[in-house]
Amino acid sequence: MSKLAVITPSYAPDAALFAELHRSVLRHTSDDTVHHVFVPDRDRPIFAGFEGPRCRLWLRSELLPRRYVRVPFTDVHVNCRRPWPPLRGWVMQQTVKIASAGLIDADALLIVDSDAVLVRPTTAESFSVDGRLCLHRVENAVTADMERHLLWHRVARELLGLPPPPPPPLPDYVTALTFWDPHIVLAMRRRVTEVTGRDWLDAFNGRLHVSEFVLYGVFVDEVLKASPPVNTTICHLSYHHEPWDEAQAVAFADRLPPDAVGMMISAKSRTPHEARMAAIRRCAQVVESS
């Protein structure tokens, strides 16, 4: 069985969400699977209680060279060699996912956001075909009105030394829970360094708008031309931005696909904790009855 590592960037406002995610990781992954959580330095006391044999706590500053200096009283770092743009927290959350491939000994990385939970037993083999990890790719999902996604595609191609993207629709690679091959991540980092002439970390962080998932997907499809197996049902997702009551959350859980191992209700929706927990319990009932 492939050695699996679970990777989650988090921070203080999501600590309660992370607690539920971590419980689900302990329940639904093998005993040798370690959950790696990356947090801002100031949030270490909040997450310290999770540390143990199956949870490794990393400080984001551990990933940054000395040329990066944190702005006091903020979650913003500045690259002293090229101060603009600063490294904001949401880009840092992406950076730690890419950086983890060089820090952690694993055959597969399960990238999971704090607002997701596992609902079924989870292994890399379950989402592999002939030893190759599946890629999350939704064909033709990025349309002309999705300006942010189109920008992410353009930036990814610039970092990878590719021509501009064709007109939309384009594939969407963004998700809250997916598997990455660490060898592919390392190759992607080398490619960015070769193309830009800069450390991959500086090149990636030096963009105002960037997506780690689009960069990985475009690298797999357009640079490696790997034609990987595709699976888009690994996680039951909701990116809505309005809070759900318990009935709405449970109704969403009722629609859990038969092969999904995760569920995500976006933290941006501000869905109450009680409604979120009701959805998690309902997922357990759906799984037991299937």
Side-chain angles (χ1 to χ4, degrees):
M1 181 176 291
S2 299
K3 185 176 180 181
L4 178 66
V6 182
I7 310 297
T8 301
S10 196
Y11 72 134
D14 283 352
L17 296 176
F18 177 80
E20 293 303 326
L21 167 60
H22 184 57
R23 275 192 279 271
S24 74
V25 169
L26 295 180
R27 179 179 180 183
H28 292 297
T29 64
S30 62
D31 291 341
D32 63 346
T33 298
V34 177
H35 195 177
H36 299 262
V37 56
F38 296 80
V39 303
D41 295 37
R42 62 184 178 183
D43 292 345
R44 178 170 190 163
I46 297 172
F47 287 85
F50 295 107
E51 285 191 281
R54 296 195 58 196
C55 186
R56 167 72 191 274
L57 175 62
W58 298 80
L59 302 183
R60 294 181 185 176
S61 63
E62 296 180 76
L63 309 181
L64 296 176
R66 291 186 177 182
R67 60 183 176 274
Y68 283 84
V69 177
R70 186 173 69 87
V71 178
F73 310 111
T74 73
D75 188 26
V76 174
H77 288 76
V78 172
N79 181 354
C80 294
R81 295 180 181 175
R82 192 173 296 187
W84 180 259
L87 173 52
R88 295 130 299 152
W90 72 275
V91 175
M92 186 59 178
Q93 288 195 22
Q94 300 182 53
T95 300
V96 300
K97 299 173 187 177
I98 300 173
S100 66
L103 299 171
I104 295 165
D105 178 24
D107 300 312
L109 305 176
L110 179 59
I111 310 295
V112 191
D113 290 343
S114 291
D115 48 4
V117 291
L118 299 182
V119 297
R120 287 187 172 100
T122 305
T123 66
E125 286 78 9
S126 299
F127 291 89
S128 300
V129 178
D130 297 329
R132 303 169 67 208
L133 286 173
C134 293
L135 176 69
H136 177 88
R137 185 210 303 127
V138 183
E139 296 291 355
N140 301 322
V142 176
T143 54
D145 61 325
M146 299 171 66
E147 296 182 3
R148 178 81 46 103
H149 279 69
L150 294 174
L151 182 55
W152 291 339
H153 269 269
R154 178 173 63 77
V155 169
R157 287 172 170 269
E158 290 174 357
L159 290 173
L160 296 170
L162 296 170
L170 299 171
D172 191 5
Y173 303 99
V174 178
T175 184
L177 190 156
T178 194
F179 287 99
W180 276 2
D181 183 329
H183 298 291
I184 291 177
V185 178
L186 293 175
M188 178 183 76
R189 286 164 36 170
R190 290 193 296 269
R191 171 78 175 204
V192 171
T193 295
E194 292 167 0
V195 167
T196 64
R198 304 172 64 193
D199 186 308
W200 74 268
L201 191 146
D202 293 345
F204 185 86
N205 293 336
R207 296 295 184 137
L208 278 170
H209 301 284
V210 68
S211 165
E212 77 283 37
F213 291 121
V214 174
L215 183 66
Y216 183 89
V218 171
F219 180 73
V220 170
D221 281 342
E222 302 295 335
V223 177
L224 298 183
K225 298 187 182 299
S227 300
V230 172
N231 188 310
T232 59
T233 61
I234 180 174
C235 189
H236 187 38
L237 298 163
S238 173
Y239 284 111
H240 73 286
H241 285 186
E242 297 297 326
W244 277 346
D245 59 25
E246 184 170 324
Q248 291 170 306
V250 169
F252 173 71
D254 274 330
R255 300 191 294 274
L256 182 74
D259 53 351
V261 300
M263 180 197 72
M264 188 279 285
I265 298 174
S266 174
K268 294 180 180 179
S269 70
R270 300 187 182 277
T271 293
H273 178 74
E274 295 77 11
R276 184 179 294 272
M277 292 303 301
I280 293 173
R281 290 192 296 269
R282 182 55 183 154
C283 281
Q285 294 170 351
V286 171
V287 171
E288 289 175 3
S289 63
S290 62

